[in-house]
Amino acid sequence: MALTAEEVEKLKELKRTEEFKKNYKLIKDELVKRERQGADMTAKGLICLFVMCYVPRAGFLLAVILLFVLIIVPFFMSKNDIDLNAIYKEQILNLILGAILPKAKIHSWGEEPIEDVKYAVPKSEKYNQFNALKFNDDRNLSVCNLYAWHEEEYKSGKEKRIKKVRDFRGVLYALTLTEVYQGHVRIVPTKQLAHLNIETQGKYAGVLEGEQKIDVEDVRHNENYNIYCTDEIAARKFLSPSVLAWFDEQISDQGLCAYLKGNKLYISKYTNEYMFPVPDTKKKLNAWSVEQAALYLKDLSQEAKAMASVFSK
């Protein structure tokens, strides 16, 4: 995937705009400030260590006082006025999208109904959809970051504490199909346990109330996915040869799961990372470029649209 001559020219024009320059400068200045603060904290820490080691008798107490005054208090009093995530994703990247994909836009939060999304990921309790890229097309195609987790209680000495346990970290695709299907269909990834002839689907739900498990003629698909549905005729109509072939091509992505309800399709992919990584250090920002970011967005768009086309035939 490469940028067209027209896109390259539009990006050159973008870099000359005051809005882009202003947002880029905000990010650069914030990273310089953070780097300076880090160096300052290190220097103060060394001063405290020197006092503790080389000042007789009162060295330890004096070092504690200096640690509190020079490091702890300034740390809690300082605050980052600049939200790098918001500026980069909602300002910089949206400006770039305006040049190469005018209809598309990144939003702070995803808006897909949790009562449906929960069937496209492993069983969990809490869900967070964020940084949603909406293409604003006739299929309502979108892709967003998704994090799902539950809380567990544990003991630390005599105290009871709560910890977060991650169940899913990846992306969620959503689109509207042209045809409405009766009931719902779930396609869940499976794998064979090493050295054991046992199939597992991790934390993905098994047969739910009203569902039945079905197989298809595609043996490879049956070996790598479990299919659950409430209407077998509708499910088999949806699972056309091209759809099954597409799922077979994704087998290496063991975290791929799909949930179809009516004409709304959700596909989750467990990537263990999020889209739109922020250049959050000076080194990363120096290596970053508008053209690279545009290529990243264009590749992401092509992947999402290619996936959507499989289900639009």
Side-chain angles (χ1 to χ4, degrees):
M1 180 65 63
L3 296 172
T4 65
E6 182 182 359
E7 289 170 340
V8 170
E9 190 58 38
K10 286 182 178 180
L11 293 174
K12 286 180 181 178
E13 293 175 5
L14 170 64
K15 287 189 283 187
R16 291 193 289 265
T17 64
E18 290 303 316
E19 187 175 6
F20 175 82
K21 290 178 181 178
K22 173 189 171 185
N23 285 297
Y24 183 83
K25 186 175 185 301
L26 283 173
I27 292 177
K28 186 176 182 180
D29 290 349
E30 178 64 18
L31 295 180
V32 169
K33 186 181 81 171
R34 292 185 184 184
E35 187 177 84
R36 199 173 292 147
Q37 287 176 338
D40 187 44
M41 290 292 182
T42 301
K44 290 175 180 178
L46 291 173
I47 291 172
C48 293
L49 182 63
F50 177 83
V51 170
M52 184 173 66
C53 295
Y54 294 100
V55 176
R57 296 183 182 180
F60 178 77
L61 179 60
L62 184 57
V64 171
I65 295 173
L66 288 173
L67 180 68
F68 185 78
V69 173
L70 297 178
I71 298 179
I72 296 177
V73 172
F75 175 79
F76 283 103
M77 289 184 66
S78 67
K79 61 178 181 178
N80 295 321
D81 296 323
I82 302 300
D83 185 343
L84 285 182
N85 269 289
I87 292 176
Y88 179 69
K89 297 173 183 178
E90 298 169 36
Q91 300 297 326
I92 295 286
L93 290 187
N94 273 332
L95 288 173
I96 295 173
L97 279 172
I100 61 171
L101 297 166
K103 291 184 179 181
K105 187 176 182 180
I106 297 172
H107 299 262
S108 300
W109 307 107
E111 299 174 343
E112 303 303 331
I114 297 302
E115 60 266 26
D116 293 333
V117 170
K118 68 181 182 181
Y119 294 115
V121 295
K123 288 185 288 186
S124 193
E125 296 174 358
K126 300 177 185 292
Y127 307 85
N128 183 18
Q129 304 173 64
F130 58 99
N131 299 142
L133 172 56
K134 297 184 179 182
F135 294 94
N136 296 309
D137 59 5
D138 55 359
R139 296 170 293 193
N140 296 315
L141 177 62
S142 69
V143 55
C144 74
N145 290 319
L146 177 63
Y147 179 63
W149 75 100
H150 67 275
E151 295 179 344
E152 290 183 359
E153 192 177 84
Y154 71 100
K155 281 189 176 182
S156 178
K158 294 183 178 180
E159 293 184 4
K160 288 185 178 180
R161 297 185 178 180
I162 300 293
K163 66 176 179 180
K164 278 186 177 182
V165 180
R166 182 175 70 196
D167 298 312
F168 182 89
R169 183 175 186 246
V171 296
L172 175 74
Y173 297 90
L175 69 149
T176 303
L177 306 184
T178 54
E179 187 168 352
V180 179
Y181 295 86
Q182 292 296 316
H184 72 249
V185 182
R186 287 191 300 121
I187 304 173
V188 176
T190 65
K191 61 182 178 180
Q192 296 290 326
L193 294 179
H195 310 300
L196 296 173
N197 190 26
I198 300 175
E199 181 184 86
T200 177
Q201 57 185 47
K203 289 187 175 180
Y204 291 93
V207 180
L208 299 175
E209 184 178 355
E211 290 182 340
Q212 61 175 311
K213 182 177 179 296
I214 64 172
D215 286 330
V216 291
E217 294 181 1
D218 186 329
V219 176
R220 192 172 180 220
H221 191 281
N222 293 334
E223 291 175 347
N224 291 276
Y225 298 97
N226 282 338
I227 304 171
Y228 303 100
C229 65
T230 55
D231 188 306
E232 184 175 355
I233 295 176
R236 294 193 183 281
K237 186 177 181 182
F238 168 70
L239 296 167
S240 65
S242 60
V243 167
L244 292 174
W246 182 83
F247 275 99
D248 289 348
E249 292 170 3
Q250 319 303 316
I251 285 174
S252 59
D253 296 324
Q254 285 292 343
L256 187 76
C257 177
Y259 176 67
L260 170 68
K261 180 182 178 183
N263 66 340
K264 194 70 177 183
L265 178 63
Y266 304 94
I267 295 177
S268 70
K269 187 179 289 188
Y270 195 116
T271 59
N272 202 30
E273 61 183 11
Y274 297 130
M275 301 179 295
F276 319 123
V278 179
D280 54 4
T281 65
K282 275 181 64 180
K283 183 178 179 180
K284 290 179 182 179
L285 186 63
N286 289 335
W288 180 89
S289 72
V290 168
E291 291 75 17
Q292 286 179 339
L295 277 172
Y296 173 86
L297 292 169
K298 194 171 180 180
D299 286 345
L300 189 63
S301 168
Q302 288 299 317
E303 181 182 351
K305 290 179 179 179
M307 180 272 294
S309 68
V310 173
F311 303 96
S312 302
K313 296 176 181 178

